[in-house]
Amino acid sequence: MTGARRAPGFGIGMNFRRLMAILGGSVPVSAVAIVLFLAVYAWPAIRFNGFGFIASNSWNLGSLYAEPVSQGGAMILPGAQYGILFLIVGTLLSTAIAMLIAVPVGVGAAVFLAEALPGRARLWLSFLVEMLAAVPSVVFGLWGYAVLIPLLGHYIFPLMTGLLGWIPWFGEPAGSGYGLLTAGLVLSLMIVPLIAATLRDAITAQPMYMREAAAALGATRFETIWKVILPGLRPVLIGAGILATGRALGETMAVLMVSGNALNVLPHSIYAPISTMAAFIASQLDSALQDPTGMATRALAEVALVLCLIAVLVNVLARLILARATAATSQQRA
Amino acid sequence: MKSYRAHLLAAGVIGLGTALAAPSQAAETRVLETGSSLLYPLFNLWVPAYTKDHKVEITTQSTGSGTGISEAVSGLAQIGASDAYLSPAMRKQHANMLNIPLAISSQMVNYNLPELNGRHLKLSGPVLAGIYDGTITDWDNKQIARLNPGVKLPHHAIIPIHRTDGSGDTFIFTQFLSDSTPHWQQAHGYGTTISWPAIQSEIGAEGNQGMVNALQQNPYSVAYIGISYKGAITQNKLGEAALENRAGKFVLANDKTVQAAAAALGGKTPADEAVSLIFQPGAESYPIINYEYAIVDAQMGNPPARDVRDFLSWSIRPDGGNAPHFMNQVNFVALPAAVRRLSQKQINEIGKEQNASN
Amino acid sequence: MPDATLADRAIVMRQARLHARISRRRAVSMLAWVLCGAALAALCLSIVWIIGLVLVRGIAALRPSLFTTVTQGTGGGLLNAIEGTCVLAFGTLLLVIPFGISAGIYAAEFRSSVWARVIRFLSDVLVGLPSIVLGYFGYVTMVEGLGWKFSVAAASITLAIICLPYVARTTEVALGEVPQSLREAAYAMGAGAGTVTLRISMRLAMPAVVTGVLLALAISVGETAPLLYTAGWSNYTWNGHLTGSPIGYLTYVIWAFINEPFAAAHALAYAAALLVTGMVLLISVASRMILLRAQRRM
């Protein structure tokens, strides 16, 4: 062994590590580059808009055919102001509705799949649920536009205003089918497989002794799941839930095709049109590019920055909750 | 054995890559036309006819005049189709951009009223301004009733539909509202996109096609739609309004009324051809007509410059793109001779500096 | 005798209350199962409905000419779009495989180092960034900034950045499953880190890594928003240029043509939807089969 400086095989030891570090560095570099770029590019808009950006409902590109004027330290078109409160509200509300629908449905489906079905049915139905995850978002938008909106707008929403009209936010007018509830529904369909599949795998992975112990104590099958198995899976549910929220927050195409594209108005009922930040960026970029002062594109970059910050915040929050929940459950087990 | 598989895989990958990368056509120039959804049906008629005899590959896209203008300015597209001419500020910043009229088109105001789609409701600029800023909320409003004596208007909220994308149709519609209603001019002005007054029931749609769809799906709605979609309107049995022109007469858009409005401009089209044809005087003039522009960079480099020049020259010829059988399919009107000459002069500017070296 | 009956009665009553409670719990459990079943049924109904729509209208629109002619205005075929999707997918994989797998390798093999922790954290940040933001970034930096215009390069790089964290995470998890004893044995025989990782750990982890790569493939086939601003659109097949020339892709057809008021355009949109959904489903099935086969071998 004494004469052999280089080991057989590649034996490139430290250089391999450096190579992996450099190539793998594409991940952190991309992430930082994008957020930094957005911040730098949006800076003139951030300075011009101040806090009014997230507090007011006044997105106005200004008079595109008038002479630019100087205002607030920057050259802008007269009348231009950028306030995106309606976007923030639209994004958060549609994601909230999506989660409110997706979590119970996902948990229910996961429980049923894991516990109530014999082998072959479980395999095929699990596969069916996972197929939902494979459908691209523009196809969801296509289905929502072609099938769901006529159905909701002509039949279901009028029915709902009739039956549930006494609840605030559920009353007349039933709208055209494009709106908050439709967007929330389509989003929930897109994120439910995430929750259902992850939870189902986690439930089936749970050891039999817990089920046996609960059965020995006289619990029904469902009580075993609900009171014994699921509580231990809280970290998994939270993790999947966070991933789902992240996906819903950033969803563009499907929302663009069903949300109604509201401008500067907050929704007054669940049937009202909304706009989300992601869909807004996609639909307004062309108009913004017509601003000769360039302030409009920077304001859009600011929207993108706010969206990124919300997404990152959700992620960080998830890790904290997850860490605490995992610690709690391991404490319970100990 | 394992290395065989690896080598086969590598060979397959490289083979696939090369096959995909192999240039499909030899050096045919590629031209991207993008923009106005009003011009889009006409371009889709022109391109197959033109490329049958000329070696060039032209891709058409319906993305809205706003995109047409911005992509032509930034060089992403060679021809930006737009119903709106460039703004003075844009022209100052990009002095090399040309607005070249290719044809004259018009815009309808359409509505979807279950009993009244067969007849032509009479509407005026001030009434439409009231609808789109929320002061007129119901179809049986006094102002609409005054224009339409004897017509039974439904008591129902009006659903105004507007474009969400940067649109030449929005430009000409809001110019009409501004020219006919001083209050609108002051409060909202005109542009390819404006800050639409917030009305609860209003709907935003993308592209002329989106406007047709939204109109069809929402009874009691009103929308502004380019004339090249007249076929879709009649097919879906939707209504078209007769608009009040400057002389106080109510007219529909057809060849006669559009040509009357174009003639009313007289020889007043300037050399850069950036002029509004909205709300022209004349008893027969239709109030919403406009030049359809190709926004082109005069400083375009030479592989596309020559092809773009040739194509645009063909498109304005009365025996080429401006021939009746093209114009009739989209309900456009051919350019008058004087305007055609101005357009040709601008077309000759494309790639002129490079021309010297050819 | 009277005391015994009182006691008996008390026992019977306690038994009755117990049975009542048990029946109530059973009823509640039964109801809960029904609700769960309903949830699953709703999900399955939705998937059948969506896929059904795409299948029915898509198959009605399929013709051989779809695969041999290019899009002409709002009609024609899908040759340019299909080829474009393949080119973009290939370009994306070419970029994401080396970079993404390396990131995963570093995060797994040098787990406790600072850089690995940075990679892991920022990978989570990157995965949370919406794809439209990445498209916007690609537009301003590559399409406009670098002057590449709509191009395969700009689109592939943007798609690769979107897929990076998925490949990195799958690789990291896959390598984490490889038992440490294997690595130690290899090191003990004198192998360097490169050999140990690439020839031993990766070989074991390969099925899961391939799953990650297939996921990246599915993403690049199904994305729309970022491509709208980086790839543009072209009615013609690719001319081999990496920059300066836009390219077509199937998801554009779905998005743009469904809005056109022409039946031919709708037919193309549904046909494209069928092709895209079919491709992604195939990739998903392949992924699952690879994992199943690997599990069976283990």
Side-chain angles (χ1 to χ4, degrees), chain A residues 59-61 64-65 67-68 145 154 176 178 264-265 268 283-284 286-287 289-290 292, chain B residues 66-67 69-70 84-85 87 92-93 164 166 171 192-193 195 198 200 213 217-218:
Chain A
W59 183 271
N60 187 347
L61 292 179
L64 287 174
Y65 277 73
E67 284 297 317
Y145 171 81
H154 293 160
S176 56
Y178 292 90
N264 294 334
V265 279
H268 56 94
S283 70
Q284 293 293 305
D286 301 328
S287 307
L289 286 169
Q290 281 209 280
Chain B
T67 308
I69 294 176
S70 60
Y85 46 85
S87 69
K92 208 183 300 176
Q93 227 182 39
T164 53
F171 177 77
T192 48
T193 187
S195 185
Q200 279 305 356
N213 290 331
Q217 287 167 354
N218 292 283

mmCIF file of all heavy atoms in Angstrom, chain A residues 59-61 64-65 67-68 145 154 176 178 264-265 268 283-284 286-287 289-290 292, chain B residues 66-67 69-70 84-85 87 92-93 164 166 171 192-193 195 198 200 213 217-218:
data_model
loop_
_atom_site.group_PDB
_atom_site.id
_atom_site.type_symbol
_atom_site.label_atom_id
_atom_site.label_comp_id
_atom_site.label_asym_id
_atom_site.label_seq_id
_atom_site.Cartn_x
_atom_site.Cartn_y
_atom_site.Cartn_z
ATOM 1 N N TRP A 59 -54.094 49.796 -9.717
ATOM 2 C CA TRP A 59 -53.139 49.482 -10.762
ATOM 3 C C TRP A 59 -53.537 50.251 -12.006
ATOM 4 O O TRP A 59 -54.554 49.999 -12.618
ATOM 5 C CB TRP A 59 -53.131 47.982 -11.052
ATOM 6 C CG TRP A 59 -52.113 47.622 -12.079
ATOM 7 C CD1 TRP A 59 -52.301 47.598 -13.419
ATOM 8 C CD2 TRP A 59 -50.758 47.253 -11.853
ATOM 9 N NE1 TRP A 59 -51.133 47.226 -14.048
ATOM 10 C CE2 TRP A 59 -50.179 47.007 -13.110
ATOM 11 C CE3 TRP A 59 -49.978 47.109 -10.708
ATOM 12 C CZ2 TRP A 59 -48.845 46.627 -13.253
ATOM 13 C CZ3 TRP A 59 -48.660 46.715 -10.865
ATOM 14 C CH2 TRP A 59 -48.110 46.482 -12.126
ATOM 15 N N ASN A 60 -52.701 51.202 -12.381
ATOM 16 C CA ASN A 60 -53.021 52.051 -13.519
ATOM 17 C C ASN A 60 -51.729 52.329 -14.273
ATOM 18 O O ASN A 60 -50.786 52.847 -13.694
ATOM 19 C CB ASN A 60 -53.646 53.355 -13.004
ATOM 20 C CG ASN A 60 -54.157 54.228 -14.124
ATOM 21 O OD1 ASN A 60 -53.852 54.007 -15.287
ATOM 22 N ND2 ASN A 60 -54.939 55.224 -13.764
ATOM 23 N N LEU A 61 -51.686 51.945 -15.544
ATOM 24 C CA LEU A 61 -50.455 52.145 -16.278
ATOM 25 C C LEU A 61 -50.286 53.594 -16.723
ATOM 26 O O LEU A 61 -49.267 53.951 -17.272
ATOM 27 C CB LEU A 61 -50.408 51.241 -17.512
ATOM 28 C CG LEU A 61 -50.284 49.753 -17.214
ATOM 29 C CD1 LEU A 61 -50.277 48.947 -18.489
ATOM 30 C CD2 LEU A 61 -49.035 49.461 -16.417
ATOM 31 N N LEU A 64 -51.024 56.047 -21.737
ATOM 32 C CA LEU A 64 -49.937 55.541 -22.563
ATOM 33 C C LEU A 64 -49.611 56.471 -23.719
ATOM 34 O O LEU A 64 -48.546 56.396 -24.294
ATOM 35 C CB LEU A 64 -50.307 54.169 -23.123
ATOM 36 C CG LEU A 64 -50.270 53.049 -22.092
ATOM 37 C CD1 LEU A 64 -50.788 51.768 -22.707
ATOM 38 C CD2 LEU A 64 -48.871 52.837 -21.568
ATOM 39 N N TYR A 65 -50.572 57.351 -24.086
ATOM 40 C CA TYR A 65 -50.339 58.202 -25.239
ATOM 41 C C TYR A 65 -50.012 59.637 -24.854
ATOM 42 O O TYR A 65 -50.051 60.531 -25.687
ATOM 43 C CB TYR A 65 -51.536 58.115 -26.206
ATOM 44 C CG TYR A 65 -51.394 56.901 -27.085
ATOM 45 C CD1 TYR A 65 -51.597 55.634 -26.572
ATOM 46 C CD2 TYR A 65 -50.991 57.020 -28.407
ATOM 47 C CE1 TYR A 65 -51.410 54.513 -27.355
ATOM 48 C CE2 TYR A 65 -50.809 55.914 -29.200
ATOM 49 C CZ TYR A 65 -51.017 54.663 -28.672
ATOM 50 O OH TYR A 65 -50.825 53.549 -29.452
ATOM 51 N N GLU A 67 -47.299 62.461 -22.681
ATOM 52 C CA GLU A 67 -45.874 62.634 -22.420
ATOM 53 C C GLU A 67 -45.526 62.198 -21.011
ATOM 54 O O GLU A 67 -46.249 62.501 -20.080
ATOM 55 C CB GLU A 67 -45.506 64.123 -22.576
ATOM 56 C CG GLU A 67 -45.414 64.576 -24.010
ATOM 57 C CD GLU A 67 -44.312 63.837 -24.751
ATOM 58 O OE1 GLU A 67 -43.206 63.666 -24.172
ATOM 59 O OE2 GLU A 67 -44.544 63.399 -25.883
ATOM 60 N N PRO A 68 -44.408 61.507 -20.842
ATOM 61 C CA PRO A 68 -44.007 61.135 -19.480
ATOM 62 C C PRO A 68 -43.741 62.376 -18.636
ATOM 63 O O PRO A 68 -43.269 63.397 -19.140
ATOM 64 C CB PRO A 68 -42.712 60.346 -19.692
ATOM 65 C CG PRO A 68 -42.744 59.916 -21.103
ATOM 66 C CD PRO A 68 -43.502 60.954 -21.859
ATOM 67 N N TYR A 145 -62.363 25.994 -18.359
ATOM 68 C CA TYR A 145 -62.959 26.954 -19.272
ATOM 69 C C TYR A 145 -64.071 26.313 -20.087
ATOM 70 O O TYR A 145 -65.138 26.888 -20.264
ATOM 71 C CB TYR A 145 -61.849 27.478 -20.176
ATOM 72 C CG TYR A 145 -62.286 28.316 -21.327
ATOM 73 C CD1 TYR A 145 -62.571 29.660 -21.148
ATOM 74 C CD2 TYR A 145 -62.392 27.776 -22.591
ATOM 75 C CE1 TYR A 145 -62.957 30.441 -22.212
ATOM 76 C CE2 TYR A 145 -62.778 28.555 -23.652
ATOM 77 C CZ TYR A 145 -63.049 29.880 -23.472
ATOM 78 O OH TYR A 145 -63.432 30.653 -24.525
ATOM 79 N N HIS A 154 -74.117 28.492 -15.211
ATOM 80 C CA HIS A 154 -75.517 28.380 -15.608
ATOM 81 C C HIS A 154 -76.361 27.600 -14.620
ATOM 82 O O HIS A 154 -77.555 27.850 -14.508
ATOM 83 C CB HIS A 154 -75.627 27.715 -16.986
ATOM 84 C CG HIS A 154 -75.066 28.566 -18.080
ATOM 85 N ND1 HIS A 154 -74.679 28.069 -19.302
ATOM 86 C CD2 HIS A 154 -74.808 29.875 -18.127
ATOM 87 C CE1 HIS A 154 -74.223 29.040 -20.063
ATOM 88 N NE2 HIS A 154 -74.283 30.149 -19.370
ATOM 89 N N SER A 176 -70.835 34.925 -13.577
ATOM 90 C CA SER A 176 -70.783 34.259 -14.873
ATOM 91 C C SER A 176 -70.091 32.915 -14.792
ATOM 92 O O SER A 176 -69.932 32.248 -15.790
ATOM 93 C CB SER A 176 -70.027 35.149 -15.850
ATOM 94 O OG SER A 176 -68.755 35.424 -15.289
ATOM 95 N N TYR A 178 -66.959 32.688 -13.890
ATOM 96 C CA TYR A 178 -65.544 33.016 -13.720
ATOM 97 C C TYR A 178 -65.397 33.664 -12.351
ATOM 98 O O TYR A 178 -66.031 34.669 -12.101
ATOM 99 C CB TYR A 178 -65.105 34.060 -14.749
ATOM 100 C CG TYR A 178 -65.090 33.582 -16.164
ATOM 101 C CD1 TYR A 178 -66.211 33.692 -16.966
ATOM 102 C CD2 TYR A 178 -63.935 33.026 -16.718
ATOM 103 C CE1 TYR A 178 -66.184 33.263 -18.269
ATOM 104 C CE2 TYR A 178 -63.913 32.604 -18.023
ATOM 105 C CZ TYR A 178 -65.035 32.722 -18.793
ATOM 106 O OH TYR A 178 -65.017 32.303 -20.088
ATOM 107 N N ASN A 264 -58.409 46.000 -9.942
ATOM 108 C CA ASN A 264 -58.652 47.046 -8.945
ATOM 109 C C ASN A 264 -59.942 46.896 -8.165
ATOM 110 O O ASN A 264 -60.433 47.875 -7.603
ATOM 111 C CB ASN A 264 -58.643 48.439 -9.597
ATOM 112 C CG ASN A 264 -57.278 48.805 -10.127
ATOM 113 O OD1 ASN A 264 -56.275 48.298 -9.633
ATOM 114 N ND2 ASN A 264 -57.234 49.653 -11.130
ATOM 115 N N VAL A 265 -60.523 45.707 -8.135
ATOM 116 C CA VAL A 265 -61.682 45.518 -7.258
ATOM 117 C C VAL A 265 -61.443 44.316 -6.370
ATOM 118 O O VAL A 265 -60.912 43.308 -6.820
ATOM 119 C CB VAL A 265 -63.008 45.277 -8.021
ATOM 120 C CG1 VAL A 265 -63.604 46.560 -8.487
ATOM 121 C CG2 VAL A 265 -62.793 44.331 -9.165
ATOM 122 N N HIS A 268 -66.477 40.623 -3.715
ATOM 123 C CA HIS A 268 -67.501 40.880 -2.712
ATOM 124 C C HIS A 268 -68.304 39.637 -2.398
ATOM 125 O O HIS A 268 -69.133 39.627 -1.509
ATOM 126 C CB HIS A 268 -68.448 41.980 -3.202
ATOM 127 C CG HIS A 268 -69.068 41.640 -4.521
ATOM 128 N ND1 HIS A 268 -70.284 41.029 -4.625
ATOM 129 C CD2 HIS A 268 -68.615 41.774 -5.784
ATOM 130 C CE1 HIS A 268 -70.567 40.824 -5.914
ATOM 131 N NE2 HIS A 268 -69.565 41.271 -6.611
ATOM 132 N N SER A 283 -50.523 38.092 -17.633
ATOM 133 C CA SER A 283 -51.443 38.768 -18.538
ATOM 134 C C SER A 283 -51.082 40.229 -18.756
ATOM 135 O O SER A 283 -51.492 40.811 -19.747
ATOM 136 C CB SER A 283 -52.873 38.665 -18.021
ATOM 137 O OG SER A 283 -53.033 39.459 -16.874
ATOM 138 N N GLN A 284 -50.340 40.843 -17.846
ATOM 139 C CA GLN A 284 -50.072 42.270 -17.978
ATOM 140 C C GLN A 284 -48.715 42.598 -18.547
ATOM 141 O O GLN A 284 -48.434 43.769 -18.815
ATOM 142 C CB GLN A 284 -50.174 42.961 -16.603
ATOM 143 C CG GLN A 284 -51.574 42.954 -16.056
ATOM 144 C CD GLN A 284 -52.501 43.810 -16.894
ATOM 145 O OE1 GLN A 284 -52.223 44.982 -17.116
ATOM 146 N NE2 GLN A 284 -53.575 43.227 -17.384
ATOM 147 N N ASP A 286 -47.362 42.202 -21.420
ATOM 148 C CA ASP A 286 -47.390 42.834 -22.741
ATOM 149 C C ASP A 286 -47.786 44.295 -22.655
ATOM 150 O O ASP A 286 -47.209 45.146 -23.323
ATOM 151 C CB ASP A 286 -48.374 42.090 -23.640
ATOM 152 C CG ASP A 286 -47.973 40.647 -23.767
ATOM 153 O OD1 ASP A 286 -46.759 40.380 -23.721
ATOM 154 O OD2 ASP A 286 -48.860 39.791 -23.910
ATOM 155 N N SER A 287 -48.797 44.604 -21.852
ATOM 156 C CA SER A 287 -49.204 46.003 -21.710
ATOM 157 C C SER A 287 -48.091 46.803 -21.058
ATOM 158 O O SER A 287 -47.812 47.935 -21.459
ATOM 159 C CB SER A 287 -50.457 46.111 -20.849
ATOM 160 O OG SER A 287 -51.456 45.289 -21.347
ATOM 161 N N LEU A 289 -44.977 46.420 -21.197
ATOM 162 C CA LEU A 289 -43.841 46.664 -22.076
ATOM 163 C C LEU A 289 -44.064 47.888 -22.949
ATOM 164 O O LEU A 289 -43.134 48.397 -23.563
ATOM 165 C CB LEU A 289 -43.594 45.447 -22.968
ATOM 166 C CG LEU A 289 -42.967 44.275 -22.244
ATOM 167 C CD1 LEU A 289 -43.000 43.040 -23.107
ATOM 168 C CD2 LEU A 289 -41.540 44.592 -21.851
ATOM 169 N N GLN A 290 -45.310 48.396 -23.000
ATOM 170 C CA GLN A 290 -45.575 49.559 -23.832
ATOM 171 C C GLN A 290 -45.254 50.862 -23.139
ATOM 172 O O GLN A 290 -45.359 51.911 -23.748
ATOM 173 C CB GLN A 290 -47.052 49.578 -24.164
ATOM 174 C CG GLN A 290 -47.366 48.616 -25.249
ATOM 175 C CD GLN A 290 -48.547 49.129 -25.980
ATOM 176 O OE1 GLN A 290 -49.666 48.963 -25.522
ATOM 177 N NE2 GLN A 290 -48.300 49.808 -27.053
ATOM 178 N N PRO A 292 -43.067 53.600 -22.148
ATOM 179 C CA PRO A 292 -41.724 53.997 -22.591
ATOM 180 C C PRO A 292 -40.794 54.312 -21.423
ATOM 181 O O PRO A 292 -39.582 54.237 -21.570
ATOM 182 C CB PRO A 292 -41.981 55.251 -23.439
ATOM 183 C CG PRO A 292 -43.317 55.737 -23.036
ATOM 184 C CD PRO A 292 -44.097 54.557 -22.571
ATOM 185 N N GLY B 66 -50.708 45.672 -28.186
ATOM 186 C CA GLY B 66 -49.659 46.048 -27.244
ATOM 187 C C GLY B 66 -48.417 45.197 -27.428
ATOM 188 O O GLY B 66 -47.298 45.695 -27.498
ATOM 189 N N THR B 67 -48.622 43.891 -27.519
ATOM 190 C CA THR B 67 -47.491 42.994 -27.732
ATOM 191 C C THR B 67 -46.861 43.244 -29.085
ATOM 192 O O THR B 67 -45.643 43.214 -29.234
ATOM 193 C CB THR B 67 -47.951 41.535 -27.671
ATOM 194 O OG1 THR B 67 -48.677 41.326 -26.483
ATOM 195 C CG2 THR B 67 -46.773 40.594 -27.709
ATOM 196 N N ILE B 69 -46.641 46.002 -30.755
ATOM 197 C CA ILE B 69 -45.790 47.183 -30.680
ATOM 198 C C ILE B 69 -44.508 46.892 -29.892
ATOM 199 O O ILE B 69 -43.396 47.155 -30.367
ATOM 200 C CB ILE B 69 -46.555 48.359 -30.016
ATOM 201 C CG1 ILE B 69 -47.711 48.792 -30.903
ATOM 202 C CG2 ILE B 69 -45.621 49.511 -29.737
ATOM 203 C CD1 ILE B 69 -48.582 49.866 -30.293
ATOM 204 N N SER B 70 -44.656 46.300 -28.711
ATOM 205 C CA SER B 70 -43.449 46.127 -27.896
ATOM 206 C C SER B 70 -42.479 45.133 -28.505
ATOM 207 O O SER B 70 -41.267 45.316 -28.432
ATOM 208 C CB SER B 70 -43.809 45.742 -26.461
ATOM 209 O OG SER B 70 -44.528 44.550 -26.440
ATOM 210 N N ALA B 84 -53.317 50.362 -33.365
ATOM 211 C CA ALA B 84 -52.975 51.670 -32.815
ATOM 212 C C ALA B 84 -51.611 52.086 -33.333
ATOM 213 O O ALA B 84 -50.708 51.272 -33.466
ATOM 214 C CB ALA B 84 -52.948 51.594 -31.299
ATOM 215 N N TYR B 85 -51.465 53.374 -33.607
ATOM 216 C CA TYR B 85 -50.149 53.852 -33.994
ATOM 217 C C TYR B 85 -49.328 54.063 -32.730
ATOM 218 O O TYR B 85 -49.847 54.053 -31.617
ATOM 219 C CB TYR B 85 -50.264 55.140 -34.807
ATOM 220 C CG TYR B 85 -51.213 56.143 -34.189
ATOM 221 C CD1 TYR B 85 -50.792 57.015 -33.200
ATOM 222 C CD2 TYR B 85 -52.539 56.196 -34.604
ATOM 223 C CE1 TYR B 85 -51.669 57.917 -32.635
ATOM 224 C CE2 TYR B 85 -53.416 57.102 -34.040
ATOM 225 C CZ TYR B 85 -52.974 57.964 -33.065
ATOM 226 O OH TYR B 85 -53.851 58.837 -32.504
ATOM 227 N N SER B 87 -47.254 55.748 -29.761
ATOM 228 C CA SER B 87 -47.474 56.978 -29.004
ATOM 229 C C SER B 87 -46.326 57.950 -29.288
ATOM 230 O O SER B 87 -45.234 57.540 -29.675
ATOM 231 C CB SER B 87 -47.520 56.674 -27.514
ATOM 232 O OG SER B 87 -46.239 56.298 -27.066
ATOM 233 N N LYS B 92 -40.582 59.122 -30.040
ATOM 234 C CA LYS B 92 -39.399 59.916 -29.707
ATOM 235 C C LYS B 92 -38.262 59.002 -29.269
ATOM 236 O O LYS B 92 -37.116 59.159 -29.663
ATOM 237 C CB LYS B 92 -39.737 60.912 -28.575
ATOM 238 C CG LYS B 92 -38.882 62.153 -28.629
ATOM 239 C CD LYS B 92 -39.167 63.083 -27.467
ATOM 240 C CE LYS B 92 -40.620 63.520 -27.469
ATOM 241 N NZ LYS B 92 -40.921 64.365 -26.281
ATOM 242 N N GLN B 93 -38.636 58.019 -28.449
ATOM 243 C CA GLN B 93 -37.611 57.132 -27.922
ATOM 244 C C GLN B 93 -37.067 56.192 -28.991
ATOM 245 O O GLN B 93 -35.917 55.786 -28.956
ATOM 246 C CB GLN B 93 -38.235 56.290 -26.794
ATOM 247 C CG GLN B 93 -37.400 56.240 -25.564
ATOM 248 C CD GLN B 93 -38.061 55.357 -24.514
ATOM 249 O OE1 GLN B 93 -38.634 54.333 -24.813
ATOM 250 N NE2 GLN B 93 -37.979 55.790 -23.275
ATOM 251 N N THR B 164 -58.436 42.802 -21.519
ATOM 252 C CA THR B 164 -57.435 42.848 -20.454
ATOM 253 C C THR B 164 -56.035 42.995 -21.027
ATOM 254 O O THR B 164 -55.145 43.503 -20.359
ATOM 255 C CB THR B 164 -57.440 41.553 -19.621
ATOM 256 O OG1 THR B 164 -57.316 40.457 -20.515
ATOM 257 C CG2 THR B 164 -58.705 41.426 -18.822
ATOM 258 N N GLY B 166 -53.101 44.382 -23.773
ATOM 259 C CA GLY B 166 -52.816 45.642 -24.455
ATOM 260 C C GLY B 166 -53.409 45.554 -25.848
ATOM 261 O O GLY B 166 -52.986 44.738 -26.658
ATOM 262 N N PHE B 171 -57.765 50.812 -27.807
ATOM 263 C CA PHE B 171 -57.270 52.123 -28.229
ATOM 264 C C PHE B 171 -58.319 52.861 -29.039
ATOM 265 O O PHE B 171 -58.666 54.011 -28.741
ATOM 266 C CB PHE B 171 -56.000 51.925 -29.049
ATOM 267 C CG PHE B 171 -55.409 53.178 -29.602
ATOM 268 C CD1 PHE B 171 -54.687 54.027 -28.787
ATOM 269 C CD2 PHE B 171 -55.571 53.517 -30.941
ATOM 270 C CE1 PHE B 171 -54.130 55.191 -29.297
ATOM 271 C CE2 PHE B 171 -55.021 54.674 -31.453
ATOM 272 C CZ PHE B 171 -54.304 55.519 -30.633
ATOM 273 N N THR B 192 -53.917 51.861 -25.436
ATOM 274 C CA THR B 192 -54.061 50.436 -25.716
ATOM 275 C C THR B 192 -54.485 49.695 -24.449
ATOM 276 O O THR B 192 -55.000 48.590 -24.506
ATOM 277 C CB THR B 192 -52.753 49.820 -26.228
ATOM 278 O OG1 THR B 192 -51.708 50.246 -25.367
ATOM 279 C CG2 THR B 192 -52.464 50.233 -27.645
ATOM 280 N N THR B 193 -54.246 50.336 -23.315
ATOM 281 C CA THR B 193 -54.818 49.805 -22.096
ATOM 282 C C THR B 193 -55.076 50.996 -21.181
ATOM 283 O O THR B 193 -54.301 51.938 -21.160
ATOM 284 C CB THR B 193 -53.894 48.748 -21.461
ATOM 285 O OG1 THR B 193 -54.564 48.138 -20.377
ATOM 286 C CG2 THR B 193 -52.630 49.357 -20.954
ATOM 287 N N SER B 195 -57.019 52.340 -17.285
ATOM 288 C CA SER B 195 -57.486 51.864 -16.001
ATOM 289 C C SER B 195 -59.002 51.927 -16.029
ATOM 290 O O SER B 195 -59.596 52.969 -15.781
ATOM 291 C CB SER B 195 -56.925 52.743 -14.892
ATOM 292 O OG SER B 195 -57.270 52.226 -13.648
ATOM 293 N N ALA B 198 -63.886 50.812 -12.053
ATOM 294 C CA ALA B 198 -64.246 49.550 -11.418
ATOM 295 C C ALA B 198 -65.761 49.410 -11.338
ATOM 296 O O ALA B 198 -66.421 50.121 -10.599
ATOM 297 C CB ALA B 198 -63.631 49.490 -10.024
ATOM 298 N N GLN B 200 -68.779 46.485 -10.702
ATOM 299 C CA GLN B 200 -68.849 45.151 -10.125
ATOM 300 C C GLN B 200 -69.059 44.058 -11.155
ATOM 301 O O GLN B 200 -68.469 43.005 -11.086
ATOM 302 C CB GLN B 200 -69.971 45.083 -9.065
ATOM 303 C CG GLN B 200 -69.578 45.627 -7.713
ATOM 304 C CD GLN B 200 -68.336 44.965 -7.141
ATOM 305 O OE1 GLN B 200 -67.770 44.029 -7.697
ATOM 306 N NE2 GLN B 200 -67.874 45.472 -6.018
ATOM 307 N N ASN B 213 -66.321 35.199 -27.119
ATOM 308 C CA ASN B 213 -66.703 34.135 -26.193
ATOM 309 C C ASN B 213 -67.414 34.686 -24.963
ATOM 310 O O ASN B 213 -68.444 34.167 -24.541
ATOM 311 C CB ASN B 213 -65.466 33.361 -25.738
ATOM 312 C CG ASN B 213 -64.884 32.525 -26.867
ATOM 313 O OD1 ASN B 213 -65.598 32.090 -27.745
ATOM 314 N ND2 ASN B 213 -63.586 32.323 -26.817
ATOM 315 N N GLN B 217 -71.274 34.015 -23.714
ATOM 316 C CA GLN B 217 -71.574 33.278 -22.493
ATOM 317 C C GLN B 217 -72.324 34.112 -21.462
ATOM 318 O O GLN B 217 -72.761 33.588 -20.447
ATOM 319 C CB GLN B 217 -70.274 32.774 -21.860
ATOM 320 C CG GLN B 217 -69.677 31.628 -22.634
ATOM 321 C CD GLN B 217 -68.253 31.349 -22.199
ATOM 322 O OE1 GLN B 217 -67.689 32.088 -21.399
ATOM 323 N NE2 GLN B 217 -67.663 30.303 -22.718
ATOM 324 N N ASN B 218 -72.439 35.424 -21.701
ATOM 325 C CA ASN B 218 -73.058 36.285 -20.695
ATOM 326 C C ASN B 218 -74.183 37.114 -21.281
ATOM 327 O O ASN B 218 -73.935 38.134 -21.913
ATOM 328 C CB ASN B 218 -72.001 37.242 -20.121
ATOM 329 C CG ASN B 218 -70.983 36.513 -19.304
ATOM 330 O OD1 ASN B 218 -71.240 36.138 -18.170
ATOM 331 N ND2 ASN B 218 -69.824 36.286 -19.892
#
